[in-house]
Amino acid sequence: MAERDPETVRRFVERFASDLVEAGVPRMPARVFAALLGSDSGRLTAAELSETLQVSPAAISGAVRYLSQVHMIRREREPGSRRDVYVSDADIWFEAILNRDRIIPRWQKSIREGVEALGPDTPAGERLAETLAFFDYIHEELPRFLAEWQKRKAEMRAARES
């Protein structure tokens, strides 16, 4: 395995974290997520994250709580250890999108009720109706998209192993 320049890795972590912040992820969770993605194992303890990012354990605690709640990482415990390990693997994006697919029907229901409450012929009602159409489309197409991704991922892995 090739050696990596720690400064280059640090710059990647900060740059990707900045991109996530621009997309709406809070700063510290973005940094933690980027650090996990940039680690070879994709598995780090709170102490390792704290050392890597040069931040307090309390900052890490809040960040991993947020990331766990939004399904961007998962918490595991090493057998025989009392320390939690935080994990981000290649399937984390798939899981995050799959979780969104479970939330979309709730959004659709609320938006549908909003269209009724605001009136379908009002500007707000029309805006909500178009938003509802978008979520209807996403909810309809997402299973096909996710199945295609699983197939493509299997093909990529098979190609790497051959």
Side-chain angles (χ1 to χ4, degrees):
M1 186 179 319
E3 275 296 310
R4 296 183 303 177
D5 175 37
E7 181 59 24
T8 302
V9 173
R10 187 195 66 73
R11 281 195 308 270
F12 158 75
V13 166
E14 296 304 329
R15 184 174 48 252
F16 188 56
S18 291
D19 292 341
L20 291 170
V21 168
E22 284 184 35
V25 178
R27 179 137 185 78
M28 188 52 60
R31 292 183 71 213
V32 167
F33 185 70
L36 280 166
L37 281 181
S39 71
D40 282 334
S41 67
R43 307 170 59 84
L44 296 171
T45 65
E48 290 167 331
L49 286 164
S50 180
E51 181 181 328
T52 298
L53 298 173
Q54 296 294 294
V55 297
S56 72
I60 298 299
S61 177
V64 297
R65 186 176 328 107
Y66 173 87
L67 292 168
S68 294
Q69 289 172 344
V70 297
H71 305 282
M72 290 177 73
I73 66 170
R74 69 178 180 275
R75 183 183 315 221
E76 295 180 355
R77 185 150 295 174
E78 294 292 329
S81 172
R82 293 175 30 194
R83 291 176 22 168
D84 288 329
V85 177
Y86 301 98
V87 180
S88 179
D89 55 32
D91 283 338
I92 208 71
W93 298 107
F94 177 83
E95 293 295 327
I97 290 172
L98 189 59
N99 185 56
R100 282 286 174 242
D101 189 43
R102 293 180 190 122
I103 293 170
I104 290 173
R106 292 195 326 231
W107 293 348
Q108 288 169 299
K109 182 178 184 287
S110 294
I111 293 168
R112 195 171 282 109
E113 290 170 1
V115 171
E116 293 285 320
L118 299 170
D121 296 326
T122 66
E126 289 174 359
R127 190 171 47 253
L128 279 181
E130 189 169 317
T131 300
L132 178 59
F134 172 75
F135 282 122
D136 287 346
Y137 174 75
I138 293 296
H139 190 65
E140 181 181 305
E141 291 297 319
L142 201 52
R144 183 186 57 77
F145 169 76
L146 294 173
E148 287 178 15
W149 167 247
Q150 291 290 47
K151 180 181 173 194
R152 180 182 238 175
K153 181 177 72 170
E155 291 168 353
M156 287 177 3
R157 289 181 176 174
R160 275 197 310 254
E161 292 171 3
S162 61

